[in-house]
């Protein structure tokens, strides 16, 4: 007799002899179930979940050939190609090269500049709509000639627009109220609707409001929660008079009018405060000279729910001048001047340009005016003008088509004039936004953005959880279900803590998992900012988890993780660092009378920057003064503490 048959007979005999016992064992009554699974919870920890389980990755800031500057610099890819690329398809770049993402994105917002959408197409075709004007004829001749003439013409166009000097009669044909403009906007909506596939891929309808104040960047992206039925009831808001404005308060009026007219929902978020020359996050007065008041702070808090903290044109978390004690503050720093380098930067401008300082200023304004205007979540985006959402170092296709991969792209400056110079290698291959949404739909993603349950990275797709509360304990790290514990005992990133229990300080649960195809993690830090009793502010960076059993030195600092970067081959190994880092941290300096914010920053081990791949693959010359390694990172949205009273 085989062993299988023997075992079957034994089991049958046992079952026959103890039928009553088995009935009691497998048909448990309610009391037995409650003893096994307290509070009526199912055995499966994944059943009946009501919270988001994975981050949904996307780019909230991408330009196609419809944008004046993108098309002017040679982008010939339209809306369809941009969506197909984001969804993981291989496409042909404007430079003729084949390109594909390592992994598809979950969602995309194409945000072409609202001013002059579609005008470049007429410039390139020498349409009489533009060539009958001196400016248009000049730009058309240059762009059609190609080469340096095309670059010069595009720079002339962008510079003229940034200074508000485009011929108004010509520009009116590419502004709200014209048939051209209405047709272009209809095409934008149609493309988004074609590629939107709820549950699989989300295509937001949106645009970029490109406000410039004498070259100072005040840009905001706008996205809609809604589909075509509501989006078709409006056209994008622009900056050029008489229909547009460069004042954010007027943009907020447009957003308010949209919601009142359509019963829909929308939001806006700024980027590149580092190129605003001190006007992005005002402390006392707007750029117009008007003092900040309750109306301003309330409107900004209502409509600007996120801030794009990192992208191609520099990282905007903080600056070494503002955070001299932060060893990792100098990352992707652009501090030469404003957007078009028409004005050089001064140190006095920096405080109103960076996210960390803005978070502190916002709490001061809340004490003064009753509302925190800078209570934003933090995301990353590319701001790519190639129609290609590339944020990976080894797959970086540059800011615009003229900086797509070639042996020459490192040999000339990105921008240069009498006020300073930005080098090509200073373009940052950044970034992406991660959204903790339950479903991959416009509504679910938008709602997560609205509650600020988002974080940004400089490109890698590491998973980061961050919760705040008063009862997290070290034992919470033993579970593999950190998120379940976090939602049960605290609030997620973007949330608020109030009314600290007597004798208790806030505790934070943070967990980070490396990008599955990326670099190991160096450390997790919690950045704290607060307001003192005299109205001054402070900040401090705490190391809360780190790899490789390193020990703090006499000053409490964790030594550098080291480096495995091989410059000659543009490679690294994951023989240092950790695949995941977790920590429960209690604020050792908590003062229940002080407003404060906390956010997590996650650092990878050193890896090669994008231009090192150019040196190895294309034979480019290594730029003088360019670092040969960097530490990519993630920034979570903050959690705020507000005292009682």
């Amino acid at each position: 007799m085989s062993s299988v048959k023997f075992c079957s007979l034994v089991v049958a005999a046992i079952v026959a002899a103890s039928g009553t016992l088995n009935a009691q064992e497998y048909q448990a009554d309610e009391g037995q179930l409650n003893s096994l699974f307290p509070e009526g919870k199912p055995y499966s920890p994944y059943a009946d979940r009501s919270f988001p389980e994975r981050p949904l990755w996307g780019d909230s800031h991408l330009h196609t050939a419809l944008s004046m500057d993108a098309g002017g610099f040679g982008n010939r890819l339209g809306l369809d190609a941009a969506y197909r690329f984001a969804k993981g398809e291989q496409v042909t770049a404007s430079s003729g090269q084949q390109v594909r993402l390592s992994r598809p994105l979950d969602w995309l917002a194409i945000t072409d500049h609202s001013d002059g959408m579609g005008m470049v197409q007429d410039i390139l075709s020498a349409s009489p709509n533009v060539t009958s004007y001196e400016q248009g004829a000049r730009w058309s001749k240059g762009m059609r000639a190609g080469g340096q003439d095309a670059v010069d013409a595009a720079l002339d166009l962008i510079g003229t627009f940034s200074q508000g000097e485009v011929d108004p009669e010509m520009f009116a044909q590419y502004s709200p109220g014209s048939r051209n403009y209405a047709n272009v906007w209809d095409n934008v909506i149609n493309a988004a609707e074609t590629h939107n596939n709820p549950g699989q891929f989300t295509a937001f309808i949106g645009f970029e409001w490109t406000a410039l104040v004498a070259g100072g960047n005040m840009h905001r992206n706008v996205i809609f929660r809604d589909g075509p039925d509501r989006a078709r009831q409006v056209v994008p808001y622009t900056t050029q008079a008489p229909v547009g404005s460069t004042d954010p308060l007027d943009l907020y009026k447009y957003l308010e009018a949209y919601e009142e007219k359509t019963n829909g929902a929308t939001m806006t978020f700024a980027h590149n405060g580092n190129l605003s020359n001190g006007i992005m996050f005002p402390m006392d007065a707007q750029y117009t000279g008007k003092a900040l008041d309750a109306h301003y702070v309330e409107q900004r808090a209502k409509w600007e729910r996120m801030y794009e903290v990192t992208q191609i044109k520099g990282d905007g978390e903080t600056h070494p001048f503002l955070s001299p004690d932060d060893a990792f503050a100098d990352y992707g720093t652009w501090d030469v001047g404003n957007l078009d380098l028409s004005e050089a930067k001064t140190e006095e401008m920096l405080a109103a340009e960076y996210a960390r300082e803005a978070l502190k200023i916002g709490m001061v304004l809340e004490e003064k005016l009753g509302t925190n205007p800078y209570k934003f979540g933090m995301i990353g985006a590319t701001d790519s003008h190639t129609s290609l959402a590339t944020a990976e170092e080894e797959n970086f296709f540059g800011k615009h088509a003229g900086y797509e991969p070639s042996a020459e792209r490192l040999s000339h400056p990105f921008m240069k004039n009498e006020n300073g110079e930005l080098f090509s290698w200073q373009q940052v291959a950044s970034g992406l936004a991660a959204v903790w949404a339950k479903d991959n739909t416009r509504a679910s993603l938008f709602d997560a953005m609205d509650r600020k349950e988002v974080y940004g990275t400089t490109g890698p797709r590491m998973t980061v959880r961050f919760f705040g509360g008063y009862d997290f304990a070290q034992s919470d790290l033993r579970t593999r279900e950190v998120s379940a514990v976090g939602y049960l005992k605290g609030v997620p990133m973007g949330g608020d803590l109030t009314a600290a229990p007597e004798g208790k300080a806030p505790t934070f649960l943070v967990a980070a998992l490396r990008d599955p195809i990326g670099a190991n993690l160096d450390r997790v830090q919690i950045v704290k900012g607060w307001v003192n009793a005299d109205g001054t502010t402070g900040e401090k960076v705490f190391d809360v988890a780190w790899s490789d059993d390193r020990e703090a030195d006499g000053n409490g600092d964790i030594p550098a993780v080291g480096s495995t970067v091989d410059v000659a081959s543009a490679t690294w190994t994951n023989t240092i660092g950790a695949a995941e880092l977790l920590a429960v941290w209690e604020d050792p300096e908590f003062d229940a009378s002080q407003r404060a914010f906390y956010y997590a920053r996650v650092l990878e081990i050193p890896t090669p920057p994008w231009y090192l791949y150019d040196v190895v693959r294309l034979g480019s010359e290594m730029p003088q003064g360019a670092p040969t390694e960097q530490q990519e990172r993630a920034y979570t949205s903050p959690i705020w503490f507000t005292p009682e009273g």
Side-chain angles (χ1 to χ4, degrees):
M1 181 183 294
S2 73
S3 60
V4 173
K5 290 182 179 179
F6 176 78
C7 290
S8 299
L9 290 172
V10 171
V11 170
I14 293 173
V15 170
S18 55
T20 303
L21 177 63
N22 276 281
Q24 291 175 341
E25 182 178 358
Y26 292 106
Q27 298 180 18
D29 60 27
E30 185 175 350
Q32 288 174 308
L33 284 173
N34 285 337
S35 67
L36 288 170
F37 311 115
E39 303 176 19
K41 293 182 179 178
Y43 176 84
S44 171
Y46 310 106
D48 297 336
R49 281 193 164 178
S50 60
F51 57 82
E53 298 186 275
R54 70 178 182 92
L56 296 175
W57 293 97
D59 186 359
S60 58
H61 188 178
L62 182 72
H63 294 269
T64 72
L66 287 176
S67 289
M68 283 195 300
D69 51 354
F73 280 122
N75 183 3
R76 299 296 178 261
L77 300 186
L79 298 160
D80 182 69
Y83 283 122
R84 289 191 293 106
F85 180 75
K87 291 160 70 173
E89 292 187 33
Q90 182 168 304
V91 302
T92 304
S94 297
S95 55
Q97 304 175 70
Q98 297 301 299
V99 58
R100 185 170 71 93
L101 287 174
S102 65
R103 294 154 287 180
L105 295 176
D106 297 304
W107 57 271
L108 178 68
I110 292 178
T111 53
D112 279 308
H113 297 299
S114 60
D115 287 284
M117 263 200 295
M119 187 173 79
V120 166
Q121 282 66 41
D122 279 359
I123 290 175
L124 291 168
S125 65
S127 167
N129 289 342
V130 292
T131 56
S132 58
Y133 300 89
E134 187 278 329
Q135 288 178 339
R138 185 172 76 244
W139 296 331
S140 181
K141 180 180 178 181
M143 290 186 191
R144 287 163 62 85
Q148 189 59 44
D149 288 342
V151 173
D152 292 342
L155 288 171
D156 184 20
L157 168 60
I158 294 165
T160 303
F161 171 76
S162 68
Q163 298 301 319
E165 297 173 353
V166 177
D167 188 302
E169 185 177 302
M170 176 180 67
F171 211 60
Q173 300 176 79
Y174 305 94
S175 299
S178 71
R179 180 178 295 181
N180 281 342
Y181 200 85
N183 288 339
V184 170
W185 180 236
D186 206 45
N187 291 337
V188 169
I189 293 172
N190 289 340
E193 196 61 16
T194 296
H195 288 276
N196 190 58
N197 185 9
Q200 299 298 319
F201 181 83
T202 293
F204 280 107
I205 300 169
F207 63 89
E208 180 172 357
W209 177 72
T210 317
L212 286 164
V213 180
N217 181 75
M218 293 283 279
H219 297 187
R220 267 84 168 168
N221 291 330
V222 173
I223 60 171
F224 299 97
R225 187 180 188 268
D226 313 302
D229 291 347
R230 290 189 171 102
R232 288 193 208 281
Q233 297 181 44
V234 298
V235 293
Y237 192 58
T238 59
T239 67
Q240 301 295 297
V243 294
S245 167
T246 58
D247 190 336
L249 287 172
D250 291 326
L251 174 65
Y252 305 152
K253 290 177 183 177
Y254 164 88
L255 302 176
E256 186 82 55
Y258 169 81
E259 292 197 349
E260 290 179 356
K261 180 177 183 178
T262 68
N263 198 31
T266 184
M267 72 168 67
T268 187
F269 46 94
H271 64 88
N272 284 120
N274 60 330
L275 301 178
S276 72
N277 274 17
I279 61 174
M280 180 60 77
F281 301 111
M283 294 171 270
D284 301 305
Q286 282 188 269
Y287 73 92
T288 58
K290 182 180 178 181
L292 300 188
D293 56 16
H295 176 70
Y296 176 88
V297 297
E298 289 166 4
Q299 288 294 297
R300 184 151 182 173
K302 177 180 180 179
W303 297 111
E304 299 201 24
R305 310 294 291 171
M306 305 186 296
Y307 179 65
E308 186 180 301
V309 73
T310 185
Q311 61 131 275
I312 286 177
K313 299 196 301 295
D315 193 87
E317 183 216 4
T318 192
H319 187 280
F321 177 78
L322 302 172
S323 304
D325 297 327
D326 183 352
F328 298 96
D330 192 10
Y331 181 85
T333 304
W334 280 37
D335 58 2
V336 178
N338 56 1
L339 183 63
D340 61 1
L341 277 185
S342 59
E343 181 184 18
K345 187 82 67 191
T346 65
E347 290 179 344
E348 292 74 22
M349 299 173 179
L350 296 173
E353 296 193 336
Y354 285 85
R356 189 186 300 176
E357 199 69 21
L359 291 168
K360 293 190 289 183
I361 294 168
M363 295 189 298
V364 174
L365 290 172
E366 184 175 17
E367 292 189 347
K368 179 181 177 182
L369 298 172
T371 302
N372 183 345
Y374 309 137
K375 196 173 183 180
F376 48 72
M378 295 200 284
I379 59 171
T382 66
D383 191 13
S384 169
H385 283 52
T386 61
S387 303
L388 308 171
T390 59
E392 296 167 307
E393 303 296 322
E394 78 278 14
N395 195 33
F396 182 53
F397 270 63
K399 166 70 174 176
H400 59 71
Y403 284 96
E404 292 183 358
S406 72
E408 295 76 37
R409 70 169 168 172
L410 294 178
S411 63
H412 49 89
F414 186 77
M415 294 182 71
K416 182 179 181 180
N417 64 19
E418 66 278 4
N419 290 316
E421 181 175 7
L422 285 164
F423 299 97
S424 173
W425 63 264
Q426 289 180 287
Q427 295 174 85
V428 186
S430 184
L432 290 175
V435 181
W436 286 109
K438 288 184 63 179
D439 303 300
N440 192 354
T441 64
R442 287 170 177 156
S444 187
L445 285 161
F446 184 98
D447 292 347
M449 294 173 181
D450 187 61
R451 66 177 183 263
K452 308 164 197 162
E453 199 170 351
V454 296
Y455 64 97
T457 83
T458 56
R461 302 191 195 185
M462 66 267 281
T463 301
V464 185
R465 288 285 200 182
F466 184 52
F467 298 94
Y470 295 105
D471 297 308
F472 290 116
Q474 295 299 320
S475 58
D476 293 328
L477 301 178
R478 296 174 191 160
T479 176
R480 297 307 303 167
E481 293 302 312
V482 170
S483 55
V485 174
Y487 285 107
L488 179 66
K489 299 174 70 172
V491 298
M493 60 182 75
D496 290 277
L497 296 174
T498 56
E502 185 67 30
K504 282 196 172 185
T507 54
F508 297 90
L509 173 62
V510 60
L513 183 67
R514 80 170 212 204
D515 183 329
I517 63 171
N520 274 347
L521 306 179
D522 167 14
R523 67 187 72 197
V524 175
Q525 301 174 309
I526 290 181
V527 179
K528 177 186 178 182
W530 66 89
V531 180
N532 296 308
D534 62 359
T536 60
T537 62
E539 66 172 62
K540 192 169 183 178
V541 180
F542 298 87
D543 290 308
V544 300
W546 53 90
S547 66
D548 302 316
D549 298 320
R550 288 169 285 166
E551 295 184 1
D553 61 20
N555 297 319
D557 297 325
I558 304 301
V561 69
S563 176
T564 65
V565 171
D566 180 62
V567 175
S569 61
T571 58
W572 85 96
T573 63
N574 277 328
T575 52
I576 59 174
E580 69 171 1
L581 292 171
L582 302 92
V584 166
W585 177 80
E586 180 178 320
D587 182 358
E589 302 173 3
F590 177 64
D591 184 335
S593 68
Q594 293 178 334
R595 296 179 189 273
F597 65 79
Y598 305 82
Y599 65 86
R601 181 172 67 183
V602 182
L603 301 177
E604 286 188 342
I605 64 172
T607 53
W610 66 267
Y611 47 84
L612 192 58
Y613 291 98
D614 277 21
V615 172
V616 172
R617 294 175 182 172
L618 304 175
S620 303
E621 185 176 346
M622 185 68 186
Q624 186 175 0
T628 56
E629 60 185 46
Q630 62 178 4
Q631 288 189 256
E632 298 214 64
R633 53 201 62 196
Y635 308 111
T636 72
S637 293
I639 294 172
W640 288 266
F641 170 78
T642 304
E644 281 190 289

